[in-house]
Amino acid sequence: MRYILISFQLALFTTTVLAQSGPGQVAQRIGDLRGSGGTFQPVTLFAEASRTAATDALWDRTIADAEVLQLQLAGAAALLLEGPALVAFELPFWNGTVILDVERVSIATDDFSVVQASSGAPVVASPGLHFRGVQRGEPGSVVSISVFGNEVMALISTNEGNLELGRLEGAAEGVHVLYRSADLFDKSGPACSTEDDGLPYATDLLEPGYPKTVKCVRFYWEVNYDIFQGKGSVANATSYVTGLFNQSATLYANDGISVLLQEVFVWDVPSPYTGTTTSALLTQFGDYRTSFNGDLAHLLGYVGNGGVAWLNGLCNSQARYKMAYSDVNSTFQNVPVYSWSVEVVTHEQGHLMGSKHTHACAWNGNNTAIDGCGPAAGYTEGACAAGPVPSSAVGGTIMSYCHLIGAGINFNNGFGPQPKTLITNNVNGAACLTACVAPPVCGVPTGLSTSSITSTSASLTWAAVAGATSYTLQWKPTTATIFNTVTGLTTTTHTLSGLAPNTAHHFQVLAVCASGSSTYSSLTAFTTMGGSCSDVYEPNGTNSTAVVVPVNSILSGKIGADGDIDWYRFSNTTTQRNIKVSLTNLPANYQLRLYRSNTLLATSANTGTTSEQIIYNTSTVATNYKVKVNGASGAFSATQCYTLTVQIGQSPFSMQGMEGGDTEPMVEDDVISIYPNPASDVVNIVLPASEVPSTIDVLDATGRVVDSFGSGAIDVTTRLTFDMSDKPEGMYLVRVVQGDESTLHRLVVAH
């Protein structure tokens, strides 16, 4: 088989991107999510910034007008930590608001890695969060968004054109610019050359089969040293290319073509790729990189003013013929112009998957051209008559040269029917490819309902989430401030018992998947029936008559008279040694104590009907732990039960007070402190007193929650203990939320 080298010399193209005559598969997906009851969480990451002479000077020679926006860095960090599945991004734009309904997507394989050249080893580099979807109220629109710690990259396609959002180079941290592509002043076009073998496509390759690929193309992307220098670090270079991949992959997804990123290799030292033309760089790439981690390989750099690829590289036995090179441009005169780079990488990868240019004499089953943009610009491929030239209102497709004549390349047109069919058939027919296996994005549970409601119990149900390995349930009386949490549920039903009669309750559910957790569902309400409750654990009025009760279950008991005392006994295990005891739904002022045999370990004695809680993280495993519940000053209720939950867990729960543990550093009373840092096994977080509940999440570099702790209001300094001994070494983020205040802290784990 003969391989055709195709060169694409890229410069600025002019187009009113991205009107679409009908919805693509991305819009159909968002419509399906809406139809199934999906809720898009409102998120506002940007505030409209005051324009200054300094910011105007950065872009006023490049575009006619723009909106300058300030990224809310804390909001972006919080979003990275939460990782919601469905988001409604709200963008201020010229005295209005643009709302983008998007779904979080996985752009990488489950074994995705970032490798730096200097060590040849994988490094911890967050790929950010990536979304795709539509602009609300704009049928057929296509949106791609990538969120990183200090930057957002977005392409927004509507019938009115293309919007680009990105960081304004040279401005202060977080300053972004949002503008219409049509407002760019420079409308020069690129030159392009190819070598054409003159061979037509077989008719069967152009006949539609599957509406989308059933196999997946995994890409290896290599980042040349000049991009590393321009971005300043491996992390920044990785953020840029993964955001670029998401934008390109969104165009493929809109046509039903599945692509994933397998590996990013970053040259943080001078590379062997020193050529000054695209062809020279591709040759050097093939000479040096004789094997790679993926199905196809793509070298990215800032040199060559274009792109080049081998034609039909799928499953080729020689690595060099499965490669492409693209000269990408992250900015043009300080302004982000992602559409340039999206076009070239998507175009070159289209060649690798078998598509020629649309003006080649190879299409329609009769060796003719799809369009005439190439000949109109002075480029021909074959001796057939020139095809039709689309108007600027219609635009060309990704594999066309229509950008050279002013018609433009309309991204919403995608690859066009025949190239799309050809690529789909090539991918599905490639023996070396397998089905796509991407980490599933964890969906939010829907269909919450209740049944079998009595005065003290209720059966809760929700719909299964694809890819979920377990579920976490939270419930509380509507008047309570703190949720009761039940983790590790492996079915979609759970029965609550020991509830207060004639009481309104709320519950919510999140799904836990291999890729992380979803956000909680919306709250669902139910009310228990009236009546009194029974105490099934009596007699248990003394230490010696303590009743054995199950752990990690919701129990109910009753202090039915003045002087009544309830004792319970339980065991922990070597794998679940840490203890948390919660006493809720209190009809009166009750107190809670934890013992081991006859030794008092901890006491909780809040006033009134405030819930009680004891946290006891221990290395001691025993069968004689005991819980004592009694009324303060003779308090009791002859009709209402309380709720008791005894939990044991592998990871430490949050710990009230400062007694025990490692030596604490000297800290101010109102300062959050983390020690030791770096940590090898256990890390402590010291919190100041707070009148509102506290939540602490530990997230890895991908934004996945690996540990989460919560506590109620605390009136003394609090130490939270996290077990990191089973966590991989690397950088983590610790998010501490107390009421409306949220702070982020870095944590290094080094065993």
Short mmCIF file of all heavy atoms in Angstrom, two decimals, residues 233-263:
data_model
loop_
_atom_site.label_atom_id
_atom_site.label_comp_id
_atom_site.label_asym_id
_atom_site.label_seq_id
_atom_site.Cartn_x
_atom_site.Cartn_y
_atom_site.Cartn_z
N SER A 233 5.89 25.26 32.05
CA SER A 233 5.96 24.09 32.92
C SER A 233 5.28 22.91 32.25
O SER A 233 4.51 23.08 31.30
CB SER A 233 5.28 24.36 34.27
OG SER A 233 3.88 24.50 34.10
N VAL A 234 5.59 21.72 32.75
CA VAL A 234 4.93 20.51 32.24
C VAL A 234 3.44 20.59 32.52
O VAL A 234 2.61 20.23 31.67
CB VAL A 234 5.55 19.25 32.88
CG1 VAL A 234 4.73 18.01 32.53
CG2 VAL A 234 6.98 19.08 32.43
N ALA A 235 3.07 21.08 33.72
CA ALA A 235 1.65 21.16 34.08
C ALA A 235 0.89 22.09 33.14
O ALA A 235 -0.20 21.77 32.66
CB ALA A 235 1.50 21.62 35.53
N ASN A 236 1.46 23.27 32.86
CA ASN A 236 0.78 24.23 31.97
C ASN A 236 0.68 23.70 30.55
O ASN A 236 -0.33 23.89 29.88
CB ASN A 236 1.52 25.56 31.99
CG ASN A 236 1.37 26.31 33.29
OD1 ASN A 236 0.52 25.97 34.11
ND2 ASN A 236 2.20 27.31 33.51
N ALA A 237 1.76 23.07 30.07
CA ALA A 237 1.72 22.50 28.73
C ALA A 237 0.68 21.40 28.63
O ALA A 237 -0.05 21.28 27.64
CB ALA A 237 3.11 21.96 28.35
N THR A 238 0.57 20.58 29.70
CA THR A 238 -0.42 19.51 29.71
C THR A 238 -1.84 20.08 29.72
O THR A 238 -2.73 19.58 29.02
CB THR A 238 -0.21 18.61 30.94
OG1 THR A 238 1.10 18.05 30.89
CG2 THR A 238 -1.23 17.49 30.98
N SER A 239 -2.05 21.13 30.51
CA SER A 239 -3.38 21.76 30.53
C SER A 239 -3.76 22.24 29.14
O SER A 239 -4.90 22.02 28.69
CB SER A 239 -3.38 22.94 31.52
OG SER A 239 -3.21 22.49 32.84
N TYR A 240 -2.84 22.89 28.46
CA TYR A 240 -3.16 23.42 27.13
C TYR A 240 -3.50 22.30 26.15
O TYR A 240 -4.52 22.37 25.45
CB TYR A 240 -2.00 24.25 26.59
CG TYR A 240 -2.19 24.61 25.14
CD1 TYR A 240 -3.25 25.42 24.73
CD2 TYR A 240 -1.34 24.10 24.16
CE1 TYR A 240 -3.45 25.71 23.39
CE2 TYR A 240 -1.53 24.40 22.82
CZ TYR A 240 -2.59 25.20 22.44
OH TYR A 240 -2.79 25.48 21.12
N VAL A 241 -2.68 21.27 26.07
CA VAL A 241 -2.92 20.25 25.04
C VAL A 241 -4.12 19.38 25.38
O VAL A 241 -4.81 18.90 24.48
CB VAL A 241 -1.66 19.40 24.77
CG1 VAL A 241 -0.53 20.27 24.25
CG2 VAL A 241 -1.23 18.62 26.00
N THR A 242 -4.40 19.15 26.68
CA THR A 242 -5.60 18.38 26.99
C THR A 242 -6.86 19.19 26.69
O THR A 242 -7.87 18.65 26.25
CB THR A 242 -5.61 17.92 28.45
OG1 THR A 242 -5.39 19.04 29.33
CG2 THR A 242 -4.53 16.87 28.70
N GLY A 243 -6.80 20.51 26.94
CA GLY A 243 -7.93 21.36 26.55
C GLY A 243 -8.12 21.37 25.05
O GLY A 243 -9.25 21.33 24.54
N LEU A 244 -7.01 21.43 24.31
CA LEU A 244 -7.07 21.38 22.85
C LEU A 244 -7.64 20.04 22.38
O LEU A 244 -8.46 19.98 21.45
CB LEU A 244 -5.67 21.60 22.27
CG LEU A 244 -5.52 21.54 20.76
CD1 LEU A 244 -6.35 22.62 20.08
CD2 LEU A 244 -4.04 21.69 20.38
N PHE A 245 -7.22 18.96 23.02
CA PHE A 245 -7.74 17.65 22.65
C PHE A 245 -9.25 17.59 22.87
O PHE A 245 -9.99 17.04 22.04
CB PHE A 245 -7.05 16.54 23.43
CG PHE A 245 -7.41 15.15 22.96
CD1 PHE A 245 -6.68 14.52 21.97
CD2 PHE A 245 -8.50 14.48 23.49
CE1 PHE A 245 -7.02 13.25 21.52
CE2 PHE A 245 -8.85 13.21 23.06
CZ PHE A 245 -8.10 12.59 22.06
N ASN A 246 -9.72 18.14 23.99
CA ASN A 246 -11.16 18.14 24.25
C ASN A 246 -11.92 18.87 23.15
O ASN A 246 -12.98 18.41 22.71
CB ASN A 246 -11.45 18.78 25.61
CG ASN A 246 -12.94 18.82 25.93
OD1 ASN A 246 -13.69 17.90 25.64
ND2 ASN A 246 -13.37 19.92 26.53
N GLN A 247 -11.41 20.01 22.70
CA GLN A 247 -12.09 20.76 21.66
C GLN A 247 -12.13 19.98 20.34
O GLN A 247 -13.16 19.94 19.66
CB GLN A 247 -11.41 22.12 21.48
CG GLN A 247 -11.56 23.01 22.70
CD GLN A 247 -10.84 24.34 22.57
OE1 GLN A 247 -10.06 24.54 21.65
NE2 GLN A 247 -11.09 25.24 23.49
N SER A 248 -11.01 19.35 20.01
CA SER A 248 -11.00 18.53 18.80
C SER A 248 -11.88 17.29 18.96
O SER A 248 -12.66 16.95 18.06
CB SER A 248 -9.56 18.10 18.49
OG SER A 248 -9.51 17.22 17.38
N ALA A 249 -11.79 16.64 20.12
CA ALA A 249 -12.59 15.43 20.36
C ALA A 249 -14.08 15.73 20.35
O ALA A 249 -14.89 14.87 20.00
CB ALA A 249 -12.19 14.79 21.69
N THR A 250 -14.46 16.98 20.72
CA THR A 250 -15.87 17.37 20.67
C THR A 250 -16.37 17.36 19.23
O THR A 250 -17.50 16.95 18.95
CB THR A 250 -16.06 18.75 21.30
OG1 THR A 250 -15.71 18.67 22.69
CG2 THR A 250 -17.50 19.22 21.19
N LEU A 251 -15.54 17.83 18.29
CA LEU A 251 -15.94 17.80 16.88
C LEU A 251 -16.08 16.37 16.39
O LEU A 251 -17.01 16.04 15.64
CB LEU A 251 -14.91 18.55 16.03
CG LEU A 251 -14.71 20.03 16.36
CD1 LEU A 251 -13.73 20.66 15.37
CD2 LEU A 251 -16.02 20.78 16.36
N TYR A 252 -15.15 15.50 16.80
CA TYR A 252 -15.28 14.09 16.44
C TYR A 252 -16.55 13.49 17.05
O TYR A 252 -17.30 12.77 16.38
CB TYR A 252 -14.05 13.31 16.90
CG TYR A 252 -12.85 13.44 15.99
CD1 TYR A 252 -11.81 14.29 16.30
CD2 TYR A 252 -12.77 12.71 14.80
CE1 TYR A 252 -10.70 14.42 15.47
CE2 TYR A 252 -11.67 12.83 13.96
CZ TYR A 252 -10.65 13.68 14.30
OH TYR A 252 -9.57 13.81 13.47
N ALA A 253 -16.79 13.79 18.33
CA ALA A 253 -17.97 13.24 19.00
C ALA A 253 -19.26 13.72 18.36
O ALA A 253 -20.25 12.98 18.30
CB ALA A 253 -17.95 13.63 20.48
N ASN A 254 -19.27 14.95 17.86
CA ASN A 254 -20.47 15.47 17.21
C ASN A 254 -20.82 14.68 15.95
O ASN A 254 -21.98 14.63 15.53
CB ASN A 254 -20.29 16.95 16.87
CG ASN A 254 -21.59 17.72 16.93
OD1 ASN A 254 -22.48 17.40 17.71
ND2 ASN A 254 -21.71 18.73 16.10
N ASP A 255 -19.81 14.07 15.35
CA ASP A 255 -20.03 13.20 14.19
C ASP A 255 -20.05 11.72 14.57
O ASP A 255 -20.04 10.85 13.69
CB ASP A 255 -18.93 13.43 13.15
CG ASP A 255 -19.26 14.57 12.19
OD1 ASP A 255 -20.39 15.09 12.27
OD2 ASP A 255 -18.41 14.93 11.36
N GLY A 256 -20.03 11.41 15.88
CA GLY A 256 -20.12 10.03 16.31
C GLY A 256 -18.84 9.24 16.20
O GLY A 256 -18.87 8.01 16.14
N ILE A 257 -17.69 9.93 16.19
CA ILE A 257 -16.39 9.27 16.07
C ILE A 257 -15.70 9.34 17.43
O ILE A 257 -15.49 10.43 17.97
CB ILE A 257 -15.53 9.93 14.99
CG1 ILE A 257 -16.25 9.85 13.63
CG2 ILE A 257 -14.15 9.27 14.90
CD1 ILE A 257 -15.65 10.76 12.58
N SER A 258 -15.35 8.20 18.00
CA SER A 258 -14.80 8.14 19.35
C SER A 258 -13.28 8.19 19.33
O SER A 258 -12.63 7.35 18.70
CB SER A 258 -15.25 6.85 20.05
OG SER A 258 -16.65 6.83 20.22
N VAL A 259 -12.72 9.18 20.01
CA VAL A 259 -11.27 9.29 20.17
C VAL A 259 -10.98 9.55 21.64
O VAL A 259 -11.75 10.20 22.34
CB VAL A 259 -10.69 10.42 19.30
CG1 VAL A 259 -10.89 10.13 17.82
CG2 VAL A 259 -11.29 11.78 19.65
N LEU A 260 -9.87 9.02 22.12
CA LEU A 260 -9.43 9.21 23.49
C LEU A 260 -7.93 9.51 23.51
O LEU A 260 -7.19 9.13 22.59
CB LEU A 260 -9.71 7.97 24.34
CG LEU A 260 -11.17 7.66 24.67
CD1 LEU A 260 -11.27 6.31 25.37
CD2 LEU A 260 -11.76 8.75 25.55
N LEU A 261 -7.50 10.15 24.57
CA LEU A 261 -6.09 10.47 24.75
C LEU A 261 -5.46 9.42 25.66
O LEU A 261 -5.91 9.23 26.79
CB LEU A 261 -5.96 11.87 25.37
CG LEU A 261 -4.60 12.55 25.36
CD1 LEU A 261 -4.04 12.65 23.94
CD2 LEU A 261 -4.69 13.93 25.99
N GLN A 262 -4.44 8.76 25.15
CA GLN A 262 -3.79 7.67 25.88
C GLN A 262 -2.60 8.18 26.70
O GLN A 262 -2.40 7.79 27.84
CB GLN A 262 -3.30 6.59 24.90
CG GLN A 262 -2.56 5.43 25.55
CD GLN A 262 -3.48 4.37 26.09
OE1 GLN A 262 -4.57 4.18 25.59
NE2 GLN A 262 -3.05 3.67 27.12
N GLU A 263 -1.79 9.05 26.08
CA GLU A 263 -0.60 9.54 26.77
C GLU A 263 -0.22 10.90 26.22
O GLU A 263 -0.39 11.17 25.02
CB GLU A 263 0.58 8.57 26.61
CG GLU A 263 1.85 9.01 27.33
CD GLU A 263 2.99 8.01 27.19
OE1 GLU A 263 2.75 6.80 27.38
OE2 GLU A 263 4.12 8.45 26.88
#
